Amino acid sequence: MPATTISWRGWVRAHRPVVDALGYAVIAVVSATVGITGLWSSYSLLPEPASPWWSLVAGLSAAALILLRDRAPLLGVAMAGALLVGDVLTVGGIVPVIVTLDLLYAAVVTATPRVRRRILSVIVVFVVASALATGVGAGDPRVGIFMALQTTGLLGVAYWWGTSTVQSRELVALHRQRAEDAERLAVRDRRAAVEREREAMARELHDLVAGHVSAVAIRAEAALSDPGESERDTSALRAVRDSSLHAHAALRSMISVLRTGDEVPVVSAGTAAIPAMVREAERSGVTVNLRADITDPLPPAVDHAAARVVQEALANCVRHAAGGEASVRLTADAREVDVRVESRGGEPITAPVLPGSGWGLELLRERVRALDGTLEAGPTASGWSVHALLPREVPV
C-alpha cells in the first residue's frame, strides 16, 4: 500500500470530527440546492413554505456542532436537539436530524451508566412531550401517536446502538482481562513447577553428591593424619582433600542458588585464578609450563571465558594425559586475546574410571561463540591442543 494512502488515512482518522462536519455541511448545501426540505411540514408553524435555502441556517449550524462530538458530546446533543426542534417547526431539513442522532450516539458511548440512564429519561420525556404537543396542537390524538412513533424510532435506535457498542466494549475488556488472568495463572503455575524441580534437584545434590564429596574430603584428611605416609602420598592426599573441599563448596553454592532462586551465577575468578589452576594440575601429576603475557585488565566476560578455557583444558590433561606435560599460553593485543593449551605425552588414567560426557568442549565453544570468538580443539602429533581466540571488546 502506498505511503501516501496510509498518511492520508491517518490524517482523516486524526481529524475525523472536522471531516464529518465538512461532510454534513456539503449534505446541507446539496439538500438546499435540490429542494430536500419540508420533511416535517405537518408540524411547521410557518404560514407558507419557506425557501429551501433557509434550511442552511439550521443545517450548517448543526454541522458545526459535530466538532463537539469528541470533546463535549452531551453539550453537543443538547444544542443539536434545540436546533432540531426549531428546524422541525420551520423549514424541516435533514441535516439537523442526522447530526442529533450522531451526537446522541457519541454521548451514550462515552457516558457512565448513571448518565446513560439520565439520557434515557430525557428521551422518554421528549417523546411524551412532543407527542402531547403535536396531538393537542392538531386536535387529533393520532397525530400525537404518529409523532411518538417517529421520535421513538429515531432516538431509540441511536440510544440502543450506543448502549450495544458500550456492552461490546465491556465484553471485549472482560475477555481480555480473563485472558490476562489466565496467562498470569499459567506463569505462576510454571514458576511453581520450576521451583518444585529446583527443590528436588537441590535435595538430590545435597543428599547424594554433596554427601559423597564431603566423605572423600573426610577420609583424605584422616589418611593425612597417618604419620607413616610418604611425602608423595601426602601430597596426593592433600590434593584430593583440597579438590573435595572446593567441590563441596561449589555444590553448597549451587544448592543455595537452586533453593533461593537467586539469579547470580557462580563464576570463576577469571585469569587471576589460572596460577592456582596450574598448581592444582601439577599436584595431580601434570607438568605445566605457564606463560601469561596479559598486562591490561580484560572485560569480565572475556576474562572469565579465557579462564574457563584453561580450566577445562587442564582438567582434560589430568584425565587423559596424566604424567605428561602441558603448556599454557595467554597473549593479548589491542584486538583479541589468544589462549592456547597444548599437552604432550602422558597416559589416560584408568582408575578410577572417569567417563566424559563430551559436553565440556561443546559448552566452551558456545561460551566463546557468544563473545564472537573461535575455539579449536583436537589431537596433534604429540598430544592435544585447545586454541581459543577471544575479541578484546565484548559485543553488545
Side-chain angles (χ1 to χ4, degrees):
M1 183 179 294
T4 55
T5 303
I6 298 176
S7 60
W8 169 251
R9 290 183 177 179
W11 185 91
V12 171
R13 190 180 298 111
H15 302 82
R16 185 60 181 271
V18 176
V19 175
D20 290 347
L22 293 176
Y24 287 139
V26 171
I27 293 175
V29 172
V30 172
S31 299
T33 302
V34 299
I36 304 178
T37 56
L39 301 178
W40 322 96
S41 57
S42 58
Y43 308 117
S44 177
L45 301 180
L46 298 178
E48 57 183 20
S51 171
W53 294 105
W54 282 105
S55 64
L56 293 178
V57 176
L60 296 179
S61 300
L65 293 177
I66 288 295
L67 299 176
L68 299 175
R69 184 173 59 192
D70 294 339
R71 300 178 181 179
L74 284 175
L75 176 61
V77 73
M79 297 175 66
L83 278 177
L84 175 61
V85 172
D87 187 68
V88 168
L89 298 178
T90 54
V91 182
I94 190 173
V95 173
V97 179
I98 302 175
V99 170
T100 300
L101 299 178
D102 193 344
L103 291 172
L104 176 60
Y105 168 80
V108 172
V109 168
T110 58
T112 62
R114 182 178 180 181
V115 175
R116 284 199 295 271
R117 289 192 294 269
R118 292 183 178 180
I119 293 175
L120 180 59
S121 301
V122 172
I123 291 175
V124 172
V125 171
F126 179 79
V127 170
V128 174
S130 61
L132 291 176
T134 53
V136 173
D140 189 350
R142 291 175 299 179
V143 178
I145 295 174
F146 182 70
M147 183 63 176
L149 292 175
Q150 285 182 319
T151 52
T152 300
L154 293 174
L155 301 179
V157 168
Y159 181 85
W160 167 81
W161 187 17
T163 54
S164 298
T165 302
V166 172
Q167 291 174 356
S168 299
R169 293 179 180 176
E170 292 175 350
L171 287 175
V172 170
L174 178 61
H175 288 303
R176 183 180 294 111
Q177 182 65 36
R178 289 181 176 177
E180 293 174 355
D181 292 342
E183 183 178 1
R184 282 193 292 268
L185 288 175
V187 171
R188 187 182 66 181
D189 292 341
R190 286 196 298 269
R191 288 178 178 175
V194 170
E195 290 298 328
R196 290 193 297 269
E197 187 66 21
R198 290 161 67 102
E199 186 69 22
M201 292 173 62
R203 287 196 300 268
E204 292 297 324
L205 283 175
H206 181 271
D207 296 340
L208 298 179
V209 183
H212 290 304
V213 172
S214 61
V216 171
I218 293 171
R219 291 168 183 169
E221 185 66 31
L224 284 172
S225 62
D226 187 355
E229 295 289 344
S230 64
E231 183 63 27
R232 180 178 179 182
D233 292 338
T234 301
S235 178
L237 287 171
R238 189 176 291 111
V240 171
R241 180 199 61 186
D242 294 343
S243 297
S244 301
L245 291 176
H246 290 320
H248 188 263
L251 281 172
R252 288 178 60 87
S253 179
M254 292 175 62
I255 292 171
S256 177
V257 170
L258 286 172
R259 300 204 64 180
T260 61
D262 294 337
E263 297 298 332
V264 181
V266 181
V267 297
S268 65
T271 54
I274 290 180
M277 298 177 190
V278 170
R279 290 193 297 271
E280 190 69 24
E282 289 179 337
R283 293 168 67 179
S284 300
V286 178
T287 302
V288 182
N289 181 13
L290 171 63
R291 190 181 74 187
D293 299 330
I294 300 178
T295 57
D296 297 330
L298 299 176
V302 177
D303 194 44
H304 293 152
R308 186 67 184 87
V309 170
V310 174
Q311 183 182 20
E312 180 65 22
L314 289 179
N316 288 336
C317 290
V318 171
R319 287 195 296 266
H320 305 296
E325 298 180 357
S327 63
V328 179
R329 299 288 183 269
L330 287 92
T331 58
D333 55 24
R335 296 178 53 189
E336 61 186 8
V337 179
D338 190 315
V339 182
R340 190 185 298 269
V341 180
E342 296 180 345
S343 64
R344 296 177 299 278
E347 296 292 337
I349 60 175
T350 58
V353 179
L354 296 175
S357 63
W359 293 349
L361 290 176
E362 185 60 31
L363 292 175
L364 277 185
R365 287 191 180 92
E366 293 179 3
R367 181 191 290 263
V368 172
R369 280 199 300 266
L371 299 175
D372 286 348
T374 60
L375 185 139
E376 297 177 356
T380 62
S382 58
W384 190 272
S385 173
V386 177
H387 183 209
L389 288 176
L390 300 168
R392 190 65 181 258
E393 297 297 329
V394 179
V396 180

